[in-house]
Amino acid sequence: MAQCNMCIMEPENFEEADLDESWRRAMEAELEMIEKNNTWQLVERPFNKPVIGVKWVYKTKLNLDGTVQKNKARLVAKGYSQKPGIDYNKTFAPVARLDTIRTLIVLAAQKEWHLYQLDVKSAFLNGVLKEEAGFKKSPSEATLYIKTDEGSGILIVSLYVDDIVYTGSCVKMLEEFKNDMMKHYEMTDLGLLYHFLGMGVVQTDKYIFLHQKKYAMKVIEKFGLKGCKSVATPLVANERLCKEDGSEMADESEYRQIIGSLLYLTATRPDIMFASSLLARFMHNPTKKHIGTAKKVLRYVQGTLDYGVEFKKGKAATLIGYCDNDWAGSEDDRRSTSGYMFTLGSGMFSWASIKQNTVALSTAEAEYVSAAEATSQAKWLRFILEDFGAEQVEGTPILCDNTSAIAMAKNPIFHQKSRHISRKFHFI
């Protein structure tokens, strides 16, 4: 893992942000844009009018005379009640996958491109565009757009609600895109990409570095572990956890918050991916042992605040995958855990730790299932890279350390150990 010394602090809550003049100006600008675009209308609170797809929640107060007073109504969306063709498309805003963002960043490093960012002053829900802008939408990613020019080069744009990340091979195309966007829409030019979705992005002449140091510090402080003694590894070797371990029940709300924070940290920290996914299996009725193990992972993060992923510039863009498994690692149902990661030139940019859906009867089967899942991810990554103009002409090697699984991958038909394996895993 690489390291970074950068740290930029943000307000913790509204009260803190309200004291910051820059945040006050940003909030006022947002409200001004909402009013300018007529995106809302003040109406009487519909106490007695049912609204499809939403519900009104009221804060009640008991008066001295025994009557109940309703006030402070707020609107709560009920997404589960939406119906396609009626109100579904009007409220859906697709966002880019983190895998796509990291793929874009690693490609920019390989091509030695600069990454830039625009901030939309006021974002609205996704709508159907009727005008042509010369971009081609990626069939593999809903928020990815590519514009190519045989004489100039390529321009790649990735959207995430009100944030736009763009890069490409032609400085002129980049400048024209920025000017056109700022001409037609209310946008802020943030220059070089340096902070996106809680991730810090450091761009130098030699590398691009992703980290979440600021967020990790806030998480550690939030759960009372600031300045705690760190540990060398996130989990003890061969750590085994189960639903009922004999210890007392823990605070479920606190546990869920810790695990949610750890899972978000995995955006740039593949070293805690397995530990976080393992602990996420015990969201319901966690025990003292579970929360103790989770806090140990936070102590590991405390000692590795400067860790992140680094992509060196100018390396060959060859996609390589690695897969492995933890055979029968789940104490509760004896299912295995698949793990895979991919590199492109330098530094891993795509990774996952997933509990398998079936019980593997052997290490060979568990490895075979893991390799099949890695193969599925490899195909998707190849599609994205092709959209980026970096088509992988050669086959993508996936490295597996189990000879039986490799034999099944080469010839699954006549292998006796493959008869009971689900057909979908023969996809490999």
Side-chain angles (χ1 to χ4, degrees):
M1 301 290 288
Q3 300 187 8
C4 175
N5 297 319
M6 293 185 65
C7 179
I8 306 170
M9 300 306 295
E10 289 183 355
E12 288 280 349
N13 47 49
F14 171 77
E15 287 73 18
E16 187 177 326
D18 194 40
L19 299 175
D20 189 321
E21 185 60 31
S22 62
W23 279 84
R24 286 182 60 85
R25 288 198 300 268
M27 287 186 282
E28 290 170 357
E30 184 78 15
L31 289 172
E32 181 181 341
M33 285 301 302
I34 289 174
E35 293 175 353
K36 178 180 178 181
N37 289 279
N38 297 317
T39 56
W40 65 4
Q41 182 180 3
L42 292 177
V43 297
E44 293 294 326
R45 288 178 294 179
F47 288 106
N48 300 317
K49 295 181 180 180
V51 182
I52 297 176
V54 301
K55 70 174 181 178
W56 290 87
V57 179
Y58 307 98
K59 183 176 180 181
T60 59
K61 177 181 178 182
L62 183 64
N63 298 323
L64 294 177
D65 59 1
T67 60
V68 176
Q69 174 184 338
K70 287 184 177 180
N71 55 13
K72 295 186 178 179
R74 62 188 176 89
L75 189 65
V76 180
K78 297 195 296 182
Y80 56 84
S81 67
Q82 295 173 236
K83 294 179 174 59
I86 299 177
D87 54 3
Y88 182 83
N89 291 329
K90 294 182 179 179
T91 58
F92 174 64
V95 293
R97 291 175 52 174
L98 284 175
D99 274 344
T100 303
I101 301 297
R102 290 193 298 258
T103 305
L104 180 61
I105 292 174
V106 70
L107 180 70
Q110 187 270 328
K111 298 287 189 181
E112 299 187 66
W113 296 342
H114 289 299
L115 291 150
Y116 299 93
Q117 184 177 17
L118 291 172
D119 179 66
V120 185
K121 289 187 177 180
S122 187
F124 306 103
L125 297 177
N126 181 59
V128 178
L129 297 179
K130 297 181 180 179
E131 63 273 10
E132 289 293 331
F135 283 88
K136 178 183 178 182
K137 183 178 179 180
S138 168
S140 305
E141 177 64 82
T143 61
L144 185 65
Y145 298 86
I146 300 97
K147 183 177 182 180
T148 56
D149 188 304
E150 294 184 2
S152 300
I154 187 172
L155 171 63
I156 305 171
V157 178
S158 181
L159 309 179
Y160 200 101
V161 189
D162 60 349
D163 285 308
I164 299 177
V165 177
Y166 63 104
T167 187
S169 60
C170 178
V171 176
K172 181 180 178 181
M173 290 178 70
L174 293 171
E175 194 66 24
E176 288 178 350
F177 170 75
K178 181 184 72 173
N179 293 336
D180 286 343
M181 294 299 288
M182 296 186 70
K183 178 181 178 181
H184 292 89
Y185 306 99
E186 295 283 345
M187 292 196 176
T188 302
D189 179 14
L190 300 180
L192 286 174
L193 178 65
Y194 73 95
H195 191 266
F196 184 71
L197 301 179
M199 298 185 292
V201 184
V202 182
Q203 300 187 61
T204 72
D205 293 335
K206 297 181 178 180
Y207 61 83
I208 298 178
F209 182 78
L210 295 182
H211 68 95
Q212 288 173 289
K213 181 175 182 178
K214 174 185 60 178
Y215 179 74
M217 292 175 64
K218 290 168 64 176
V219 170
I220 291 170
E221 183 176 359
K222 177 180 179 180
F223 297 108
L225 294 173
K226 184 178 181 180
C228 68
K229 184 178 179 180
S230 63
V231 294
T233 58
L235 289 178
V236 176
N238 299 318
E239 181 78 62
R240 298 294 181 182
L241 298 175
C242 58
K243 292 181 179 179
E244 298 180 3
D245 53 28
S247 60
E248 299 178 7
M249 291 293 105
D251 184 344
E252 187 171 309
S253 176
E254 181 186 14
Y255 185 78
R256 287 173 177 266
Q257 291 180 54
I258 294 175
I259 302 307
S261 300
L262 287 175
L263 288 173
Y264 191 71
L265 269 174
T266 61
T268 62
R269 297 292 301 269
D271 53 331
I272 63 170
M273 184 75 249
F274 174 73
S276 301
S277 62
L278 173 64
L279 290 164
R281 301 172 188 174
F282 308 102
M283 291 291 207
H284 183 60
N285 293 331
T287 66
K288 294 286 187 181
K289 182 178 180 180
H290 295 148
I291 202 167
T293 306
K295 288 188 175 180
K296 182 182 178 182
V297 179
L298 288 177
R299 289 171 58 198
Y300 167 76
V301 173
Q302 164 70 27
T304 56
L305 287 172
D306 294 326
Y307 279 25
V309 287
E310 180 183 280
F311 307 116
K312 293 182 180 179
K313 292 191 173 181
K315 294 288 184 178
T318 302
L319 182 66
I320 301 176
Y322 302 81
C323 67
D324 205 346
N325 85 100
D326 176 26
W327 180 49
S330 174
E331 291 288 322
D332 296 305
D333 55 18
R334 288 304 176 185
R335 293 184 184 180
S336 306
T337 300
S338 296
Y340 63 73
M341 57 150 288
F342 288 87
T343 64
L344 188 74
S346 70
M348 66 180 78
F349 71 100
S350 177
W351 53 82
S353 178
I354 309 165
K355 188 177 180 181
Q356 295 181 2
N357 294 326
T358 57
V359 177
L361 301 183
S362 64
T363 55
E365 181 182 351
E367 291 273 9
Y368 187 71
V369 172
S370 176
E373 292 172 343
T375 301
S376 179
Q377 177 71 358
K379 286 189 67 67
W380 181 81
L381 290 173
R382 288 171 65 90
F383 289 145
I384 291 294
L385 288 170
E386 184 178 357
D387 291 338
F388 286 161
E391 181 181 1
Q392 299 291 292
V393 180
E394 301 293 331
T396 297
I398 297 179
L399 306 185
C400 172
D401 62 358
N402 187 282
T403 54
S404 296
I406 294 172
M408 281 191 285
K410 290 182 177 179
N411 186 9
I413 299 176
F414 301 105
H415 203 290
Q416 293 182 354
K417 293 183 179 180
S418 66
R419 289 179 298 181
H420 57 281
I421 299 177
S422 175
R423 291 188 58 164
K424 72 175 182 178
F425 297 120
H426 293 310
F427 161 77
I428 188 173

